[in-house]
Amino acid sequence: MNQLDSKFGEFGGMYVPELLIPALDQLEKAFLDAKDDPEFNREFLALLKDYAGRPTAMTLTRNLVSNPLVKLYLKREDLLHGGAHKTNQVLGQALLTKRMGKTEVIAETGAGQHGTATALACALLGLKARIYMGAKDVERQAPNVFRMRLMGAEVIPVNSGSGTLKDAVNEALRDWSANYDTAHYLLGTAAGPHPFPTIVREYHRMIGEETRAQIMEKEGRLPDAVVACVGGGSNAIGMFADFIDEPSVRLVGVEPAGKGLHTAEHGAAICTGTKGILHGAYSFIMQDKDGQIEESYSVSAGLDYPAVGPQHAYLADTGRAEYVAVTDEEALNAFQLMARKEGIIPALESSHALAHALNMADEAEEETIIVVNLSGRGDKDLDHVIKILKEGHNG
Amino acid sequence: MDRYQTLFARLDDSNEGAFVPFVMIGDPDLETSEAIIRRLIESGADALELGIPYSDPIADGPTIQAASIRALSNKVTPDACLQLLKRIRADYPDVPVGLLLYSNLVMVKGIDAFYVQAKDAGVDSILVADIPLREAKPFLSAATQTGINQILIAPPNATEEILAQIGEHSSGYTYLLGRAGVTGAETAADIPAADLIERLQQVQCAPPLLGFGISTPQQVKTAIEAGAAGAISGSATVNIIAANLDDKETMLKQLDEFVRAMKAATQKG
């Protein structure tokens, strides 16, 4: 049986074939052993500091907010090596892989951000990486595919199903079912079967811990709200984790509304979803009346996932965190505004969080401190945004 | 005695093992699928293992994924699958029929409601591919209440703890995995699984049927010699459907020959 609770209320669990249970148990045990091992923690912290560049900065925006009552801070995960928060937990899981005596890593990737983080960690730590990526994404994200291959990872295009992120996860799980003896499945977000949601949260929780220390130093008090985008939910849970027990801090998750929640083209699993099982966890998912999983959509590939991590489902269900949705157009506006006003090009994912934080700032009627998790930088999105702006969908 | 118990008693008397083909209901469409299922029974299948098409089948290899996609692209729904089974049951009152599907198709209707609906369609057993013993409690309880057999999987890496639970809860038959990985004829089953079969018999589990990577009569023979009560063949059966989508007559003829050859291999010594 599990040593840790595998569920968050009714959400989470281990809805996988029996065959994978021993591998998940082995992972839980390795995670718990490592937690109490000073040597593991020393190595993880050293990598985070000297290789990845932690702690990341916290920046008070100068020009973005016009409401004088509001201070809007950015937690700068865009400055982390690899260009996004993803490097944090990938380093942790790569160390666990070695601890379990495994030599290979399996990963899925959508746009290639988690794949890139996995490739860099595996290059550094001498692990063999094979990364599943939807065939359509392989074509659309040529620079990231090149980046992964440059760092020695094998990139495997997935043609089955719809050829997108969810099919890449399916394929990674299939590979793992055959190769769990030698390979670790390095899942990229706080979703999937237990213990992944817990491990990914714990290996990202320094985002919130640093935020707390930095805001205490600058302001002498906790923020009124922390805001983060939510696809699978890893950067958001990393930001939220340290504030869950601080009721004065609003936790705000921002989902992708795509072309609008009234259309079929969005990825807002919590805001519109119903409960069900995808990729091993019971959570909010996008499905039809028969239980077939629906395709998600977002301008931002990193948020394009038809489910959400089970702890977010729980935080939503209990009302501890609030979840809203922001359209492609609003996110693209925030993307451009941030570049022009602050000289920072945010990832399209993080632009969703920013767009909503700007709305909150406009509406504030008393002194308010907001921290947005700027989960990644936008260089990877430039080609995509150039195309969209040329086509004139936006401004 | 339920249909599985009756079947295994009869096969014991005649010194045979069971041959159980698997196909996806609605592959490639409902009408053809009904003709396929009828033919499998007429050709001598001892029992049937039938899938309900699902969008994200993580335990299946390319062959059975493709079967799901064919059925889904023809708008085959779980309700239509169960209605088809009702017609099969009306004509074949004795053949055991098992469902093999994924958890979300059950959850969306509510576990108890789904089991009641399946029972009403004449289903004898349900195997949920992504429900391990650890999550099985509400499924086992729905199965007990409706008189359906919950099929449990014995993987090659099963711990003593898992085997003991299979011994306690299994009914109908036990799905013995011939190897790790996903379904598919590309990688052969690891036979004999004699060691695992012996451990299963010690915990008094329901009769083990060997599946995953079974595609030839020789494998069926070897599985039964190793102590299995029979063998399940999915991808090899589905491959015949996939190879003959344009020619239904040839498809049915080849399925007939395949089932007869596999069934012939179940005769013991």
Side-chain angles (χ1 to χ4, degrees):
Chain A
M1 289 317 288
N2 298 114
Q3 300 180 63
L4 291 167
D5 197 348
S6 72
K7 295 202 166 126
F8 306 91
E10 64 177 318
F11 300 102
M14 304 174 87
Y15 297 93
V16 294
E18 193 74 61
L19 193 58
L20 282 176
I21 293 292
L24 291 166
D25 283 351
Q26 180 193 21
L27 178 61
E28 183 192 62
K29 183 175 181 311
F31 166 70
L32 288 171
D33 288 350
K35 212 172 144 195
D36 299 327
D37 178 356
E39 186 50 42
F40 179 91
N41 288 312
R42 215 170 6 249
E43 194 176 4
F44 188 25
L45 286 174
L47 284 174
L48 289 170
K49 176 169 176 282
D50 302 328
Y51 179 73
R54 299 214 75 90
T56 57
M58 165 111 83
T59 305
L60 176 62
T61 57
R62 290 186 178 221
N63 312 306
L64 206 49
V65 176
S66 49
N67 185 343
L69 293 170
V70 176
K71 283 185 170 175
L72 178 63
Y73 283 93
L74 308 172
K75 179 59 178 162
R76 300 293 304 278
E77 294 297 296
D78 61 317
L79 297 177
L80 201 67
H81 176 48
H85 71 290
K86 292 195 176 281
T87 305
N88 296 325
Q89 77 97 7
V90 165
L91 287 171
Q93 281 201 55
L95 289 177
L96 281 185
T97 306
K98 295 191 74 125
R99 199 180 170 86
M100 291 185 287
K102 297 183 178 183
T103 53
E104 298 166 24
V105 161
I106 301 163
E108 82 295 337
T109 197
Q113 291 310 109
H114 174 59
T116 301
T118 301
L120 70 84
C122 288
L124 180 72
L125 297 171
L127 296 163
K128 198 165 164 258
R130 53 178 181 274
I131 296 164
Y132 290 94
M133 187 169 184
K136 283 185 220 156
D137 292 331
V138 169
E139 255 171 60
R140 285 189 294 214
Q141 307 286 342
N144 265 342
V145 173
F146 182 68
R147 212 169 287 172
M148 287 183 263
R149 287 181 174 153
L150 194 61
M151 292 186 283
E154 181 189 0
V155 179
I156 305 168
V158 177
N159 285 298
S160 65
S162 53
T164 60
L165 176 59
K166 84 175 170 72
D167 304 289
V169 176
N170 291 339
E171 212 51 43
L173 283 166
R174 289 175 187 129
D175 182 336
W176 201 31
S177 315
N179 299 299
Y180 49 77
D181 279 340
T182 52
H184 172 56
Y185 177 25
L186 209 166
L187 187 67
T189 189
H194 174 76
F196 284 111
T198 296
I199 292 179
V200 173
R201 180 194 67 220
E202 290 307 301
Y203 289 172
H204 275 313
R205 75 177 297 136
M206 75 290 272
I207 300 173
E209 288 169 350
E210 287 175 17
T211 297
R212 177 195 286 263
Q214 288 164 322
I215 205 80
M216 288 307 288
E217 190 193 323
K218 289 175 199 292
E219 298 288 343
R221 71 174 181 91
L222 292 175
D224 298 293
V226 293
V227 185
C229 62
V230 178
S234 69
N235 91 81
I237 205 69
M239 175 56 97
F240 292 176
D242 202 47
F243 295 110
I244 288 174
D245 295 330
E246 299 285 359
S248 71
V249 181
R250 285 171 66 190
L251 310 177
V252 184
V254 184
E255 296 196 300
K259 296 180 178 170
L261 293 187
H262 58 287
T263 72
E265 291 176 274
H266 64 78
I270 297 178
C271 289
T272 64
T274 48
K275 296 172 189 175
I277 292 168
L278 180 63
H279 297 147
Y282 184 67
S283 187
F284 286 106
I285 63 172
M286 294 172 59
Q287 61 186 328
D288 71 10
K289 64 171 178 39
D290 290 326
Q292 309 290 354
I293 306 304
E294 289 183 326
E295 295 286 310
S296 57
Y297 163 81
S298 168
V299 68
S300 138
L303 301 182
D304 192 353
Y305 183 62
V308 66
Q311 193 171 5
H312 286 296
Y314 177 69
L315 291 172
D317 217 42
T318 56
R320 174 61 190 97
E322 36 193 307
Y323 295 85
V324 297
V326 152
T327 63
D328 286 359
E329 193 177 340
E330 293 170 288
L332 282 160
N333 283 335
F335 176 91
Q336 295 171 79
L337 204 60
M338 173 86 123
R340 217 155 42 225
K341 297 277 190 182
E342 304 288 336
I344 297 170
I345 301 174
L348 280 176
E349 290 79 9
S350 326
S351 300
H352 284 74
L354 190 67
H356 184 68
L358 291 175
N359 290 340
M360 289 169 67
D362 282 346
E363 288 160 14
E365 286 170 3
E366 52 193 57
E367 289 205 349
T368 305
I369 299 172
I370 302 172
V371 181
V372 168
N373 194 20
L374 198 68
S375 54
R377 66 173 185 233
D379 306 54
K380 66 178 177 65
D381 296 315
L382 294 180
D383 283 352
H384 190 35
V385 174
I386 289 167
K387 236 178 261 168
I388 294 171
L389 295 183
K390 264 192 192 151
E391 284 166 12
H393 289 318
N394 181 267
Chain B
M1 292 224 289
D2 67 28
R3 290 190 187 94
Y4 283 109
Q5 288 167 330
T6 308
L7 170 71
F8 288 122
R10 174 171 68 74
L11 291 174
D12 249 5
D13 285 348
S14 54
N15 206 25
E16 290 168 59
F19 173 64
V20 183
F22 166 94
V23 291
M24 187 67 69
I25 308 173
D27 170 29
D29 57 66
L30 282 168
E31 191 194 332
T32 312
S33 182
E34 185 164 340
I36 289 169
I37 291 166
R38 287 173 186 276
R39 181 63 63 98
L40 295 174
I41 300 171
E42 297 290 342
S43 304
D46 293 305
L48 297 173
E49 192 66 12
L50 301 171
I52 294 186
Y54 178 56
S55 56
D56 293 76
I58 56 169
D60 285 304
T63 303
I64 293 176
Q65 288 174 46
S68 261
I69 290 168
R70 282 192 295 273
L72 289 174
S73 65
N74 281 317
K75 311 261 184 256
V76 172
T77 63
D79 286 345
C81 291
L82 291 173
Q83 278 159 19
L84 186 155
L85 288 188
K86 238 180 181 170
R87 295 192 291 274
I88 299 290
R89 177 54 76 215
D91 292 346
Y92 302 96
D94 299 326
V95 63
V97 171
L99 276 185
L100 200 171
L101 78 173
Y102 288 86
S103 59
N104 201 48
L105 300 176
V106 179
M107 301 298 278
V108 77
K109 286 182 191 290
I111 299 175
D112 292 342
F114 183 88
Y115 276 67
V116 167
Q117 196 187 353
K119 182 70 183 178
D120 181 53
V123 166
D124 297 292
S125 71
I126 294 180
L127 196 172
V128 191
D130 55 346
I131 294 295
L133 276 162
R134 208 167 286 184
E135 302 288 359
K137 208 171 164 191
F139 294 82
L140 286 165
S141 139
T144 307
Q145 275 173 32
T146 48
I148 282 181
N149 296 295
Q150 185 72 25
I151 302 305
L152 303 176
I153 287 199
N157 60 359
T159 58
E160 295 308 317
E161 181 196 341
I162 288 192
L163 288 178
Q165 288 183 51
I166 293 173
E168 188 180 339
H169 295 295
S170 70
S171 66
Y173 71 91
T174 302
Y175 196 119
L176 182 58
L177 284 195
R179 54 164 171 73
V182 293
T183 59
E186 301 82 3
T187 316
D190 208 3
I191 322 173
D195 171 53
L196 183 54
I197 292 169
E198 204 185 305
R199 287 161 70 208
L200 280 167
Q201 281 160 350
Q202 279 167 11
V203 295
Q204 298 182 315
C205 72
L209 299 178
L210 189 70
F212 270 43
I214 301 286
S215 58
T216 66
Q218 184 56 46
Q219 287 176 304
V220 174
K221 193 168 181 300
T222 317
I224 290 167
E225 278 168 1
I232 302 174
S233 180
S235 294
T237 315
V238 172
N239 273 334
I240 296 173
I241 298 172
N244 295 286
L245 291 170
D246 297 333
D247 185 350
K248 216 153 103 175
E249 279 315 302
T250 308
M251 180 198 291
L252 293 174
K253 184 165 164 287
Q254 287 187 9
L255 284 170
D256 178 73
E257 289 163 2
F258 176 72
V259 172
R260 284 177 199 281
M262 297 293 264
K263 178 57 203 167
T266 64
Q267 186 63 51
K268 292 180 196 171

